[in-house]
mmCIF file of all heavy atoms in Angstrom:
data_model
loop_
_atom_site.group_PDB
_atom_site.id
_atom_site.type_symbol
_atom_site.label_atom_id
_atom_site.label_comp_id
_atom_site.label_asym_id
_atom_site.label_seq_id
_atom_site.Cartn_x
_atom_site.Cartn_y
_atom_site.Cartn_z
ATOM 1 N N CYS O 1 -36.154 9.782 -2.773
ATOM 2 C CA CYS O 1 -35.955 10.922 -1.881
ATOM 3 C C CYS O 1 -37.088 10.889 -0.856
ATOM 4 O O CYS O 1 -38.007 10.084 -0.970
ATOM 5 C CB CYS O 1 -35.929 12.248 -2.649
ATOM 6 S SG CYS O 1 -37.435 12.662 -3.540
ATOM 7 N N SER O 2 -36.994 11.742 0.123
ATOM 8 C CA SER O 2 -38.053 11.780 1.124
ATOM 9 C C SER O 2 -38.365 13.214 1.505
ATOM 10 O O SER O 2 -37.522 14.103 1.403
ATOM 11 C CB SER O 2 -37.672 10.968 2.372
ATOM 12 O OG SER O 2 -36.591 11.572 3.040
ATOM 13 N N LEU O 3 -39.586 13.390 1.952
ATOM 14 C CA LEU O 3 -40.077 14.670 2.441
ATOM 15 C C LEU O 3 -40.565 14.455 3.859
ATOM 16 O O LEU O 3 -41.308 13.510 4.128
ATOM 17 C CB LEU O 3 -41.245 15.149 1.562
ATOM 18 C CG LEU O 3 -42.087 16.311 2.096
ATOM 19 C CD1 LEU O 3 -41.266 17.602 2.158
ATOM 20 C CD2 LEU O 3 -43.333 16.488 1.238
ATOM 21 N N ARG O 4 -40.122 15.306 4.753
ATOM 22 C CA ARG O 4 -40.637 15.293 6.126
ATOM 23 C C ARG O 4 -41.169 16.682 6.429
ATOM 24 O O ARG O 4 -40.543 17.682 6.076
ATOM 25 C CB ARG O 4 -39.541 14.904 7.125
ATOM 26 C CG ARG O 4 -39.196 13.430 7.054
ATOM 27 C CD ARG O 4 -38.210 13.001 8.136
ATOM 28 N NE ARG O 4 -37.120 13.911 8.414
ATOM 29 C CZ ARG O 4 -35.995 13.981 7.712
ATOM 30 N NH1 ARG O 4 -35.804 13.211 6.664
ATOM 31 N NH2 ARG O 4 -35.049 14.828 8.058
ATOM 32 N N LEU O 5 -42.303 16.729 7.067
ATOM 33 C CA LEU O 5 -42.934 17.987 7.442
ATOM 34 C C LEU O 5 -43.165 17.984 8.940
ATOM 35 O O LEU O 5 -43.529 16.956 9.514
ATOM 36 C CB LEU O 5 -44.280 18.141 6.731
ATOM 37 C CG LEU O 5 -44.207 18.144 5.209
ATOM 38 C CD1 LEU O 5 -45.559 17.817 4.605
ATOM 39 C CD2 LEU O 5 -43.703 19.487 4.717
ATOM 40 N N GLN O 6 -42.937 19.125 9.552
ATOM 41 C CA GLN O 6 -43.211 19.272 10.974
ATOM 42 C C GLN O 6 -43.921 20.602 11.178
ATOM 43 O O GLN O 6 -43.463 21.635 10.680
ATOM 44 C CB GLN O 6 -41.927 19.257 11.797
ATOM 45 C CG GLN O 6 -42.183 19.437 13.278
ATOM 46 C CD GLN O 6 -40.916 19.547 14.090
ATOM 47 O OE1 GLN O 6 -39.842 19.763 13.559
ATOM 48 N NE2 GLN O 6 -41.047 19.413 15.389
ATOM 49 N N ALA O 7 -45.024 20.560 11.890
ATOM 50 C CA ALA O 7 -45.756 21.775 12.234
ATOM 51 C C ALA O 7 -45.405 22.175 13.651
ATOM 52 O O ALA O 7 -45.455 21.352 14.567
ATOM 53 C CB ALA O 7 -47.253 21.540 12.106
ATOM 54 N N ARG O 8 -45.039 23.422 13.805
ATOM 55 C CA ARG O 8 -44.817 24.013 15.116
ATOM 56 C C ARG O 8 -45.824 25.144 15.260
ATOM 57 O O ARG O 8 -46.476 25.532 14.296
ATOM 58 C CB ARG O 8 -43.396 24.555 15.211
ATOM 59 C CG ARG O 8 -42.338 23.478 15.071
ATOM 60 C CD ARG O 8 -40.963 24.076 15.113
ATOM 61 N NE ARG O 8 -39.932 23.040 14.964
ATOM 62 C CZ ARG O 8 -38.688 23.295 14.671
ATOM 63 N NH1 ARG O 8 -38.278 24.542 14.475
ATOM 64 N NH2 ARG O 8 -37.819 22.317 14.559
ATOM 65 N N ALA O 9 -45.930 25.695 16.445
ATOM 66 C CA ALA O 9 -46.905 26.760 16.674
ATOM 67 C C ALA O 9 -46.670 27.947 15.742
ATOM 68 O O ALA O 9 -47.626 28.551 15.252
ATOM 69 C CB ALA O 9 -46.849 27.215 18.126
ATOM 70 N N ASP O 10 -45.416 28.283 15.467
ATOM 71 C CA ASP O 10 -45.112 29.472 14.669
ATOM 72 C C ASP O 10 -44.403 29.177 13.351
ATOM 73 O O ASP O 10 -43.975 30.098 12.654
ATOM 74 C CB ASP O 10 -44.274 30.451 15.484
ATOM 75 C CG ASP O 10 -42.882 29.912 15.795
ATOM 76 O OD1 ASP O 10 -42.656 28.683 15.657
ATOM 77 O OD2 ASP O 10 -42.015 30.720 16.163
ATOM 78 N N SER O 11 -44.265 27.897 12.994
ATOM 79 C CA SER O 11 -43.537 27.580 11.765
ATOM 80 C C SER O 11 -43.911 26.200 11.236
ATOM 81 O O SER O 11 -44.473 25.376 11.943
ATOM 82 C CB SER O 11 -42.023 27.650 12.005
ATOM 83 O OG SER O 11 -41.627 26.706 12.982
ATOM 84 N N ILE O 12 -43.551 25.998 9.979
ATOM 85 C CA ILE O 12 -43.630 24.685 9.340
ATOM 86 C C ILE O 12 -42.203 24.375 8.883
ATOM 87 O O ILE O 12 -41.571 25.189 8.205
ATOM 88 C CB ILE O 12 -44.564 24.678 8.110
ATOM 89 C CG1 ILE O 12 -45.985 25.118 8.475
ATOM 90 C CG2 ILE O 12 -44.536 23.317 7.423
ATOM 91 C CD1 ILE O 12 -46.792 24.109 9.241
ATOM 92 N N VAL O 13 -41.699 23.210 9.261
ATOM 93 C CA VAL O 13 -40.362 22.792 8.849
ATOM 94 C C VAL O 13 -40.502 21.769 7.732
ATOM 95 O O VAL O 13 -41.210 20.774 7.876
ATOM 96 C CB VAL O 13 -39.567 22.196 10.033
ATOM 97 C CG1 VAL O 13 -38.173 21.764 9.578
ATOM 98 C CG2 VAL O 13 -39.487 23.195 11.182
ATOM 99 N N VAL O 14 -39.831 22.048 6.632
ATOM 100 C CA VAL O 14 -39.800 21.172 5.464
ATOM 101 C C VAL O 14 -38.400 20.576 5.405
ATOM 102 O O VAL O 14 -37.410 21.305 5.453
ATOM 103 C CB VAL O 14 -40.071 21.981 4.173
ATOM 104 C CG1 VAL O 14 -39.881 21.117 2.940
ATOM 105 C CG2 VAL O 14 -41.446 22.606 4.209
ATOM 106 N N ALA O 15 -38.286 19.249 5.296
ATOM 107 C CA ALA O 15 -36.993 18.588 5.160
ATOM 108 C C ALA O 15 -37.057 17.640 3.976
ATOM 109 O O ALA O 15 -37.922 16.763 3.929
ATOM 110 C CB ALA O 15 -36.643 17.821 6.434
ATOM 111 N N VAL O 16 -36.172 17.838 3.014
ATOM 112 C CA VAL O 16 -36.099 16.976 1.843
ATOM 113 C C VAL O 16 -34.729 16.311 1.857
ATOM 114 O O VAL O 16 -33.701 16.991 1.937
ATOM 115 C CB VAL O 16 -36.321 17.764 0.530
ATOM 116 C CG1 VAL O 16 -36.115 16.874 -0.679
ATOM 117 C CG2 VAL O 16 -37.729 18.361 0.520
ATOM 118 N N SER O 17 -34.723 14.989 1.799
ATOM 119 C CA SER O 17 -33.489 14.212 1.844
ATOM 120 C C SER O 17 -33.313 13.433 0.554
ATOM 121 O O SER O 17 -34.287 12.988 -0.053
ATOM 122 C CB SER O 17 -33.518 13.224 3.015
ATOM 123 O OG SER O 17 -33.666 13.896 4.240
ATOM 124 N N ASP O 18 -32.045 13.252 0.161
ATOM 125 C CA ASP O 18 -31.717 12.419 -0.994
ATOM 126 C C ASP O 18 -30.362 11.768 -0.755
ATOM 127 O O ASP O 18 -29.708 12.031 0.251
ATOM 128 C CB ASP O 18 -31.746 13.234 -2.302
ATOM 129 C CG ASP O 18 -30.757 14.377 -2.322
ATOM 130 O OD1 ASP O 18 -29.541 14.145 -2.099
ATOM 131 O OD2 ASP O 18 -31.178 15.518 -2.579
ATOM 132 N N ALA O 19 -29.945 10.920 -1.675
ATOM 133 C CA ALA O 19 -28.721 10.134 -1.508
ATOM 134 C C ALA O 19 -27.466 10.836 -2.004
ATOM 135 O O ALA O 19 -26.393 10.257 -1.992
ATOM 136 C CB ALA O 19 -28.881 8.792 -2.237
ATOM 137 N N ASP O 20 -27.584 12.074 -2.420
ATOM 138 C CA ASP O 20 -26.460 12.818 -2.986
ATOM 139 C C ASP O 20 -25.903 13.776 -1.939
ATOM 140 O O ASP O 20 -26.630 14.626 -1.428
ATOM 141 C CB ASP O 20 -26.949 13.593 -4.215
ATOM 142 C CG ASP O 20 -25.830 14.115 -5.073
ATOM 143 O OD1 ASP O 20 -24.713 14.335 -4.560
ATOM 144 O OD2 ASP O 20 -26.077 14.312 -6.270
ATOM 145 N N ARG O 21 -24.627 13.667 -1.619
ATOM 146 C CA ARG O 21 -24.013 14.523 -0.594
ATOM 147 C C ARG O 21 -23.762 15.942 -1.084
ATOM 148 O O ARG O 21 -23.554 16.839 -0.279
ATOM 149 C CB ARG O 21 -22.705 13.908 -0.109
ATOM 150 C CG ARG O 21 -22.934 12.576 0.591
ATOM 151 C CD ARG O 21 -21.718 12.134 1.342
ATOM 152 N NE ARG O 21 -21.531 13.085 2.431
ATOM 153 C CZ ARG O 21 -20.351 13.428 2.929
ATOM 154 N NH1 ARG O 21 -19.255 12.895 2.474
ATOM 155 N NH2 ARG O 21 -20.270 14.304 3.904
ATOM 156 N N ARG O 22 -23.767 16.154 -2.404
ATOM 157 C CA ARG O 22 -23.468 17.492 -2.934
ATOM 158 C C ARG O 22 -24.551 18.487 -2.530
ATOM 159 O O ARG O 22 -25.737 18.221 -2.708
ATOM 160 C CB ARG O 22 -23.374 17.469 -4.457
ATOM 161 C CG ARG O 22 -22.269 16.600 -5.002
ATOM 162 C CD ARG O 22 -22.328 16.523 -6.512
ATOM 163 N NE ARG O 22 -23.620 15.938 -6.913
ATOM 164 C CZ ARG O 22 -24.133 16.018 -8.129
ATOM 165 N NH1 ARG O 22 -23.498 16.650 -9.086
ATOM 166 N NH2 ARG O 22 -25.290 15.464 -8.405
ATOM 167 N N PRO O 23 -24.149 19.657 -2.012
ATOM 168 C CA PRO O 23 -25.146 20.665 -1.653
ATOM 169 C C PRO O 23 -25.702 21.345 -2.903
ATOM 170 O O PRO O 23 -25.076 21.297 -3.971
ATOM 171 C CB PRO O 23 -24.345 21.657 -0.805
ATOM 172 C CG PRO O 23 -22.953 21.529 -1.319
ATOM 173 C CD PRO O 23 -22.789 20.078 -1.709
ATOM 174 N N PRO O 24 -26.853 21.987 -2.768
ATOM 175 C CA PRO O 24 -27.370 22.758 -3.903
ATOM 176 C C PRO O 24 -26.370 23.855 -4.249
ATOM 177 O O PRO O 24 -25.650 24.342 -3.373
ATOM 178 C CB PRO O 24 -28.661 23.379 -3.374
ATOM 179 C CG PRO O 24 -28.944 22.714 -2.093
ATOM 180 C CD PRO O 24 -27.693 22.104 -1.599
ATOM 181 N N HIS O 25 -26.313 24.225 -5.488
ATOM 182 C CA HIS O 25 -25.439 25.345 -5.834
ATOM 183 C C HIS O 25 -26.255 26.397 -6.565
ATOM 184 O O HIS O 25 -27.124 26.085 -7.367
ATOM 185 C CB HIS O 25 -24.197 24.881 -6.603
ATOM 186 C CG HIS O 25 -24.297 24.898 -8.079
ATOM 187 N ND1 HIS O 25 -24.825 23.872 -8.808
ATOM 188 C CD2 HIS O 25 -23.932 25.845 -8.974
ATOM 189 C CE1 HIS O 25 -24.774 24.161 -10.091
ATOM 190 N NE2 HIS O 25 -24.253 25.361 -10.221
ATOM 191 N N GLU O 26 -25.973 27.617 -6.182
ATOM 192 C CA GLU O 26 -26.703 28.735 -6.762
ATOM 193 C C GLU O 26 -26.092 29.088 -8.110
ATOM 194 O O GLU O 26 -24.889 29.024 -8.296
ATOM 195 C CB GLU O 26 -26.634 29.941 -5.828
ATOM 196 C CG GLU O 26 -27.563 31.038 -6.222
ATOM 197 C CD GLU O 26 -27.785 32.033 -5.110
ATOM 198 O OE1 GLU O 26 -27.582 31.681 -3.935
ATOM 199 O OE2 GLU O 26 -28.175 33.155 -5.431
ATOM 200 N N ARG O 27 -26.963 29.427 -9.024
ATOM 201 C CA ARG O 27 -26.497 29.893 -10.321
ATOM 202 C C ARG O 27 -27.322 31.094 -10.726
ATOM 203 O O ARG O 27 -28.404 31.333 -10.185
ATOM 204 C CB ARG O 27 -26.576 28.789 -11.363
ATOM 205 C CG ARG O 27 -27.936 28.219 -11.588
ATOM 206 C CD ARG O 27 -27.856 26.956 -12.449
ATOM 207 N NE ARG O 27 -29.146 26.354 -12.600
ATOM 208 C CZ ARG O 27 -29.864 26.406 -13.700
ATOM 209 N NH1 ARG O 27 -29.401 27.027 -14.761
ATOM 210 N NH2 ARG O 27 -31.040 25.839 -13.751
ATOM 211 N N SER O 28 -26.812 31.835 -11.657
ATOM 212 C CA SER O 28 -27.533 33.020 -12.121
ATOM 213 C C SER O 28 -28.807 32.589 -12.833
ATOM 214 O O SER O 28 -28.783 31.666 -13.653
ATOM 215 C CB SER O 28 -26.668 33.824 -13.093
ATOM 216 O OG SER O 28 -25.527 34.295 -12.440
ATOM 217 N N PRO O 29 -29.916 33.260 -12.517
ATOM 218 C CA PRO O 29 -31.170 32.928 -13.207
ATOM 219 C C PRO O 29 -31.038 33.149 -14.717
ATOM 220 O O PRO O 29 -30.429 34.112 -15.160
ATOM 221 C CB PRO O 29 -32.180 33.898 -12.601
ATOM 222 C CG PRO O 29 -31.613 34.238 -11.265
ATOM 223 C CD PRO O 29 -30.122 34.239 -11.458
ATOM 224 N N ASP O 30 -31.599 32.234 -15.471
ATOM 225 C CA ASP O 30 -31.569 32.313 -16.927
ATOM 226 C C ASP O 30 -32.822 33.050 -17.387
ATOM 227 O O ASP O 30 -33.909 32.486 -17.408
ATOM 228 C CB ASP O 30 -31.517 30.909 -17.529
ATOM 229 C CG ASP O 30 -31.428 30.912 -19.033
ATOM 230 O OD1 ASP O 30 -31.555 31.993 -19.650
ATOM 231 O OD2 ASP O 30 -31.230 29.829 -19.602
ATOM 232 N N MET O 31 -32.645 34.301 -17.754
ATOM 233 C CA MET O 31 -33.769 35.144 -18.134
ATOM 234 C C MET O 31 -34.211 34.938 -19.583
ATOM 235 O O MET O 31 -35.294 35.334 -19.954
ATOM 236 C CB MET O 31 -33.412 36.625 -17.933
ATOM 237 C CG MET O 31 -32.995 36.938 -16.514
ATOM 238 S SD MET O 31 -34.314 36.657 -15.352
ATOM 239 C CE MET O 31 -35.030 38.260 -15.324
ATOM 240 N N SER O 32 -33.375 34.304 -20.404
ATOM 241 C CA SER O 32 -33.733 34.201 -21.813
ATOM 242 C C SER O 32 -34.106 32.790 -22.258
ATOM 243 O O SER O 32 -34.997 32.622 -23.077
ATOM 244 C CB SER O 32 -32.599 34.735 -22.690
ATOM 245 O OG SER O 32 -31.403 34.029 -22.411
ATOM 246 N N ASN O 33 -33.448 31.764 -21.742
ATOM 247 C CA ASN O 33 -33.695 30.405 -22.222
ATOM 248 C C ASN O 33 -34.586 29.572 -21.296
ATOM 249 O O ASN O 33 -34.905 28.437 -21.611
ATOM 250 C CB ASN O 33 -32.376 29.669 -22.450
ATOM 251 C CG ASN O 33 -31.574 30.299 -23.556
ATOM 252 O OD1 ASN O 33 -32.130 30.741 -24.558
ATOM 253 N ND2 ASN O 33 -30.265 30.369 -23.369
ATOM 254 N N GLY O 34 -34.940 30.113 -20.151
ATOM 255 C CA GLY O 34 -35.841 29.419 -19.244
ATOM 256 C C GLY O 34 -35.289 28.137 -18.651
ATOM 257 O O GLY O 34 -36.045 27.202 -18.408
ATOM 258 N N THR O 35 -33.978 28.094 -18.399
ATOM 259 C CA THR O 35 -33.393 26.866 -17.850
ATOM 260 C C THR O 35 -33.263 26.897 -16.335
ATOM 261 O O THR O 35 -32.651 26.022 -15.752
ATOM 262 C CB THR O 35 -32.006 26.597 -18.475
ATOM 263 O OG1 THR O 35 -31.151 27.691 -18.184
ATOM 264 C CG2 THR O 35 -32.126 26.373 -19.973
ATOM 265 N N GLY O 36 -33.837 27.870 -15.689
ATOM 266 C CA GLY O 36 -33.881 27.852 -14.232
ATOM 267 C C GLY O 36 -32.931 28.830 -13.576
ATOM 268 O O GLY O 36 -32.512 29.813 -14.162
ATOM 269 N N GLY O 37 -32.602 28.516 -12.325
ATOM 270 C CA GLY O 37 -31.740 29.372 -11.535
ATOM 271 C C GLY O 37 -32.497 30.237 -10.542
ATOM 272 O O GLY O 37 -31.902 30.989 -9.790
ATOM 273 N N PHE O 38 -33.827 30.126 -10.516
ATOM 274 C CA PHE O 38 -34.643 30.963 -9.638
ATOM 275 C C PHE O 38 -34.987 30.275 -8.313
ATOM 276 O O PHE O 38 -35.315 30.927 -7.341
ATOM 277 C CB PHE O 38 -35.960 31.344 -10.331
ATOM 278 C CG PHE O 38 -35.761 32.166 -11.567
ATOM 279 C CD1 PHE O 38 -35.689 31.556 -12.808
ATOM 280 C CD2 PHE O 38 -35.634 33.534 -11.484
ATOM 281 C CE1 PHE O 38 -35.506 32.310 -13.948
ATOM 282 C CE2 PHE O 38 -35.446 34.303 -12.621
ATOM 283 C CZ PHE O 38 -35.378 33.687 -13.860
#
C-alpha cells in the first residue's frame, strides 16, 4: 500500500492507496468484544 501526504496552507491531505477496489464499509462499533467498527 502507499501513503501520500500533502501540506497546504490550511490543511493536510492524507491519501492511502491499495490494490483492492472495494470501498471501506461502515459497521456498528463492537462495544463488547473489541473487534472494531470505530
Side-chain angles (χ1 to χ4, degrees):
C1 62
S2 66
L3 167 67
R4 287 186 319 278
L5 300 160
Q6 179 185 15
R8 298 178 181 164
D10 67 344
S11 61
I12 302 286
V13 180
V14 173
V16 175
S17 300
D18 60 55
D20 194 334
R21 296 193 67 212
R22 298 174 299 163
H25 93 275
E26 191 164 337
R27 59 191 176 106
S28 297
D30 182 352
M31 303 297 268
S32 57
N33 295 322
T35 60
F38 297 94

